Amino acid sequence: MKLVNLIVIAMIIIIIGYEAYLILKRNRTVEVKGTDDFLVLMIILLIILLLFPFNENELVEEAVRNLLAIVAVISSLFVKRGVNNKGLVKICFIIPWDKIESVVVEESKSSSKGIFHFYLKSGLISKWKLQFGLRQVEPALDLCASKVKDVKVEPELFQKIEKYKKMF
């Protein structure tokens, strides 16, 4: 069991190192910063806590493994998501613009954000979602419209953006 814990610790350290690389290098390339759904991150954190629970009588290797797993999930928050000239930037990969068929933009019902739905031409997962604050919606929309032919915007969101621009 000690060997398994050491292998898992090594894998988690590699993941944290890769996230540090993404933070230092790729964060600079993101032109318009967006966010992933917060609920998904909390579900992942809950799964990590259920898989690697903290116990009072655990070994040092298990405690280090559990702590590093939580650090890996939380440090993923610092990797920027958004759009740039290459495509849709997610946490560990970039989806090129030529694979994106259409973009549908709608207003978030719970907060003042724009939700961008990116539909792919093919692939295992054919829909990706990214949220942008009201300040970033218009630049993200401009960049998406310059790269993708089919961009649809909910009229209520467009009116809210115009109202927001007049306020500031």
Side-chain angles (χ1 to χ4, degrees):
M1 194 63 178
K2 185 175 181 176
L3 180 64
V4 173
N5 283 333
L6 292 176
I7 291 172
V8 171
I9 288 172
M11 288 174 33
I12 293 173
I13 289 174
I14 290 171
I15 290 170
I16 293 172
Y18 180 65
E19 287 174 346
Y21 169 77
L22 291 176
I23 291 168
L24 294 174
K25 295 294 182 182
R26 199 183 67 194
N27 276 3
R28 297 180 195 165
T29 66
V30 176
E31 291 180 22
V32 184
K33 184 181 180 285
T35 58
D36 278 330
D37 194 9
F38 190 69
L39 179 66
V40 172
L41 179 71
M42 289 301 112
I43 290 172
I44 291 171
L45 189 59
L46 178 66
I47 290 171
I48 291 293
L49 288 174
L50 291 175
L51 288 176
F52 303 121
F54 284 101
N55 296 326
E56 195 172 312
N57 300 330
E58 64 186 354
L59 301 172
V60 173
E61 297 90 16
E62 291 176 353
V64 169
R65 177 200 66 197
N66 297 346
L67 185 64
L68 285 175
I70 292 172
V71 167
V73 171
I74 292 180
S75 66
S76 71
L77 289 173
F78 298 106
V79 179
K80 285 186 183 176
R81 290 109 166 132
V83 290
N84 64 11
N85 284 331
K86 293 180 183 176
L88 172 65
V89 179
K90 292 301 273 183
I91 186 166
C92 293
F93 53 91
I94 297 175
I95 300 171
W97 287 116
D98 59 350
K99 291 187 177 183
I100 298 174
E101 183 176 34
S102 66
V103 179
V104 177
V105 184
E106 63 184 23
E107 181 182 359
S108 174
K109 304 303 180 212
S110 61
S111 64
S112 59
K113 291 187 175 187
I115 300 176
F116 283 58
H117 299 278
F118 296 89
Y119 293 94
L120 303 183
K121 294 177 182 173
S122 63
L124 182 64
I125 300 174
S126 62
K127 178 182 171 184
W128 293 93
K129 183 169 85 170
L130 208 56
Q131 297 178 1
F132 292 93
L134 284 181
R135 286 189 179 181
Q136 288 88 18
V137 168
E138 191 172 13
L141 201 55
D142 291 341
L143 188 59
C144 289
S146 69
K147 303 292 184 180
V148 179
K149 291 180 182 177
D150 188 19
V151 178
K152 298 173 184 161
V153 182
E154 191 177 71
E156 292 85 20
L157 177 65
F158 192 70
Q159 292 171 354
K160 193 169 189 177
I161 293 170
E162 291 299 321
K163 181 180 174 185
Y164 183 78
K165 281 178 22 181
K166 288 179 185 176
M167 291 172 57
F168 295 101

